[in-house]
Short mmCIF file of all heavy atoms in Angstrom, two decimals:
data_model
loop_
_atom_site.label_atom_id
_atom_site.label_comp_id
_atom_site.label_asym_id
_atom_site.label_seq_id
_atom_site.Cartn_x
_atom_site.Cartn_y
_atom_site.Cartn_z
N PRO A 377 141.69 26.14 199.23
CA PRO A 377 140.56 25.22 199.09
C PRO A 377 139.61 25.65 197.98
O PRO A 377 139.40 26.84 197.74
CB PRO A 377 139.87 25.28 200.46
CG PRO A 377 140.95 25.70 201.40
CD PRO A 377 141.81 26.64 200.61
N ALA A 378 139.04 24.67 197.29
CA ALA A 378 138.14 24.97 196.18
C ALA A 378 136.93 25.76 196.64
O ALA A 378 136.31 25.43 197.66
CB ALA A 378 137.70 23.66 195.52
N HIS A 379 136.61 26.81 195.92
CA HIS A 379 135.43 27.63 196.16
C HIS A 379 135.39 28.23 197.57
O HIS A 379 134.32 28.54 198.10
CB HIS A 379 134.15 26.84 195.90
CG HIS A 379 134.16 26.13 194.57
ND1 HIS A 379 134.19 26.80 193.37
CD2 HIS A 379 134.20 24.81 194.26
CE1 HIS A 379 134.23 25.93 192.38
NE2 HIS A 379 134.24 24.71 192.89
N ALA A 380 136.57 28.38 198.17
CA ALA A 380 136.63 29.08 199.46
C ALA A 380 136.27 30.54 199.29
O ALA A 380 135.76 31.18 200.20
CB ALA A 380 138.03 28.95 200.06
N ALA A 381 136.52 31.09 198.11
CA ALA A 381 136.15 32.46 197.75
C ALA A 381 136.80 33.50 198.65
O ALA A 381 136.14 34.13 199.48
CB ALA A 381 134.62 32.63 197.76
N GLY A 404 139.87 35.99 204.53
CA GLY A 404 138.48 35.62 204.76
C GLY A 404 137.97 34.74 203.63
O GLY A 404 138.03 35.13 202.46
N TYR A 405 137.48 33.55 203.98
CA TYR A 405 136.88 32.64 203.01
C TYR A 405 135.37 32.86 203.03
O TYR A 405 134.67 32.39 203.93
CB TYR A 405 137.21 31.19 203.34
CG TYR A 405 138.66 30.79 203.12
CD1 TYR A 405 139.18 29.65 203.72
CD2 TYR A 405 139.51 31.55 202.31
CE1 TYR A 405 140.50 29.26 203.51
CE2 TYR A 405 140.83 31.17 202.10
CZ TYR A 405 141.32 30.03 202.70
OH TYR A 405 142.62 29.65 202.49
N HIS A 406 134.87 33.52 202.02
CA HIS A 406 133.47 33.91 201.97
C HIS A 406 132.55 32.79 201.52
O HIS A 406 131.35 32.80 201.80
CB HIS A 406 133.33 35.11 201.01
CG HIS A 406 131.93 35.57 200.78
ND1 HIS A 406 131.14 35.11 199.74
CD2 HIS A 406 131.18 36.49 201.45
CE1 HIS A 406 129.97 35.70 199.77
NE2 HIS A 406 129.96 36.55 200.79
N GLY A 407 133.08 31.79 200.82
CA GLY A 407 132.26 30.80 200.14
C GLY A 407 131.22 30.13 201.01
O GLY A 407 131.46 29.85 202.18
N TYR A 408 130.07 29.84 200.42
CA TYR A 408 128.97 29.22 201.15
C TYR A 408 129.11 27.70 201.23
O TYR A 408 128.39 27.04 201.97
CB TYR A 408 127.63 29.54 200.47
CG TYR A 408 127.24 31.00 200.51
CD1 TYR A 408 126.17 31.47 199.75
CD2 TYR A 408 127.90 31.91 201.32
CE1 TYR A 408 125.79 32.79 199.77
CE2 TYR A 408 127.54 33.24 201.34
CZ TYR A 408 126.48 33.69 200.57
OH TYR A 408 126.11 35.00 200.59
N ARG A 409 130.00 27.14 200.45
CA ARG A 409 130.17 25.69 200.45
C ARG A 409 131.10 25.25 201.57
O ARG A 409 131.51 26.05 202.41
CB ARG A 409 130.68 25.24 199.08
CG ARG A 409 129.67 25.55 197.98
CD ARG A 409 129.89 24.66 196.80
NE ARG A 409 130.22 25.41 195.60
CZ ARG A 409 130.54 24.83 194.45
NH1 ARG A 409 130.62 23.52 194.37
NH2 ARG A 409 130.82 25.57 193.39
N GLN A 410 131.50 23.96 201.55
CA GLN A 410 132.15 23.39 202.74
C GLN A 410 133.48 24.03 203.09
O GLN A 410 133.90 23.99 204.25
CB GLN A 410 132.34 21.86 202.57
CG GLN A 410 133.38 21.44 201.54
CD GLN A 410 132.81 21.22 200.17
OE1 GLN A 410 131.85 21.89 199.78
NE2 GLN A 410 133.39 20.30 199.43
N HIS A 411 134.18 24.61 202.13
CA HIS A 411 135.49 25.18 202.43
C HIS A 411 135.42 26.66 202.80
O HIS A 411 136.45 27.27 203.08
CB HIS A 411 136.41 25.01 201.23
CG HIS A 411 136.66 23.58 200.86
ND1 HIS A 411 137.09 22.65 201.79
CD2 HIS A 411 136.53 22.92 199.69
CE1 HIS A 411 137.22 21.47 201.19
NE2 HIS A 411 136.88 21.61 199.92
N GLY A 412 134.24 27.23 202.76
CA GLY A 412 134.10 28.66 203.03
C GLY A 412 133.78 28.97 204.47
O GLY A 412 134.09 28.21 205.39
N HIS A 413 133.18 30.14 204.68
CA HIS A 413 132.77 30.68 205.98
C HIS A 413 133.81 30.45 207.07
O HIS A 413 133.52 29.87 208.12
CB HIS A 413 131.37 30.17 206.39
CG HIS A 413 131.12 28.72 206.13
ND1 HIS A 413 131.60 27.72 206.92
CD2 HIS A 413 130.43 28.11 205.13
CE1 HIS A 413 131.23 26.56 206.45
NE2 HIS A 413 130.50 26.76 205.37
N ARG A 414 135.04 30.92 206.80
CA ARG A 414 136.14 30.81 207.76
C ARG A 414 137.05 32.03 207.64
O ARG A 414 137.04 32.74 206.64
CB ARG A 414 136.99 29.56 207.47
CG ARG A 414 136.38 28.26 207.89
CD ARG A 414 137.39 27.12 207.72
NE ARG A 414 137.66 26.85 206.31
CZ ARG A 414 138.79 26.32 205.85
NH1 ARG A 414 139.78 26.06 206.69
NH2 ARG A 414 138.95 26.06 204.56
N LEU A 415 137.84 32.25 208.66
CA LEU A 415 138.94 33.20 208.62
C LEU A 415 140.20 32.42 208.95
O LEU A 415 140.25 31.71 209.96
CB LEU A 415 138.75 34.33 209.63
CG LEU A 415 139.77 35.47 209.55
CD1 LEU A 415 139.47 36.37 208.36
CD2 LEU A 415 139.78 36.29 210.85
N ILE A 434 138.91 31.68 212.70
CA ILE A 434 137.48 31.55 212.99
C ILE A 434 136.96 30.38 212.17
O ILE A 434 137.06 30.37 210.95
CB ILE A 434 136.68 32.81 212.63
CG1 ILE A 434 137.25 34.06 213.31
CG2 ILE A 434 135.21 32.63 213.02
CD1 ILE A 434 136.54 35.34 212.92
N SER A 435 136.40 29.40 212.84
CA SER A 435 135.75 28.27 212.17
C SER A 435 134.47 27.96 212.93
O SER A 435 134.13 28.63 213.91
CB SER A 435 136.69 27.06 212.12
OG SER A 435 137.06 26.66 213.43
N GLY A 436 133.75 26.93 212.49
CA GLY A 436 132.45 26.66 213.11
C GLY A 436 131.47 27.79 212.85
O GLY A 436 130.52 27.99 213.61
N TRP A 437 131.69 28.52 211.76
CA TRP A 437 130.90 29.72 211.44
C TRP A 437 129.73 29.32 210.55
O TRP A 437 129.41 29.99 209.57
CB TRP A 437 131.81 30.69 210.71
CG TRP A 437 131.47 32.14 210.87
CD1 TRP A 437 130.34 32.70 211.32
CD2 TRP A 437 132.36 33.23 210.54
NE1 TRP A 437 130.42 34.07 211.29
CE2 TRP A 437 131.66 34.42 210.82
CE3 TRP A 437 133.65 33.32 210.04
CZ2 TRP A 437 132.21 35.68 210.61
CZ3 TRP A 437 134.20 34.56 209.83
CH2 TRP A 437 133.49 35.73 210.12
N THR A 438 129.12 28.22 210.86
CA THR A 438 128.03 27.71 210.04
C THR A 438 126.69 28.04 210.66
O THR A 438 126.62 28.64 211.74
CB THR A 438 128.19 26.19 209.86
OG1 THR A 438 128.35 25.57 211.14
CG2 THR A 438 129.42 25.86 209.02
N MET A 445 124.90 31.67 209.30
CA MET A 445 126.22 31.40 208.76
C MET A 445 126.95 32.69 208.42
O MET A 445 126.44 33.56 207.73
CB MET A 445 126.11 30.55 207.49
CG MET A 445 127.46 30.27 206.82
SD MET A 445 127.27 29.55 205.17
CE MET A 445 126.59 27.95 205.61
N GLY A 446 128.19 32.82 208.89
CA GLY A 446 128.99 33.97 208.56
C GLY A 446 129.61 33.84 207.18
O GLY A 446 129.94 32.74 206.74
N ALA A 447 129.75 34.95 206.48
CA ALA A 447 130.36 34.98 205.15
C ALA A 447 131.25 36.22 205.08
O ALA A 447 130.80 37.29 204.66
CB ALA A 447 129.30 34.99 204.07
N PRO A 448 132.52 36.11 205.50
CA PRO A 448 133.38 37.29 205.58
C PRO A 448 133.70 37.87 204.21
O PRO A 448 133.97 37.14 203.26
CB PRO A 448 134.63 36.76 206.27
CG PRO A 448 134.64 35.29 205.99
CD PRO A 448 133.21 34.89 205.94
#
Side-chain angles (χ1 to χ4, degrees):
H379 310 295
Y405 289 162
H406 176 268
Y408 294 169
R409 297 203 241 176
Q410 70 268 32
H411 298 308
H413 42 78
R414 284 187 291 153
L415 187 76
I434 305 177
S435 59
W437 209 344
T438 52
M445 177 191 292

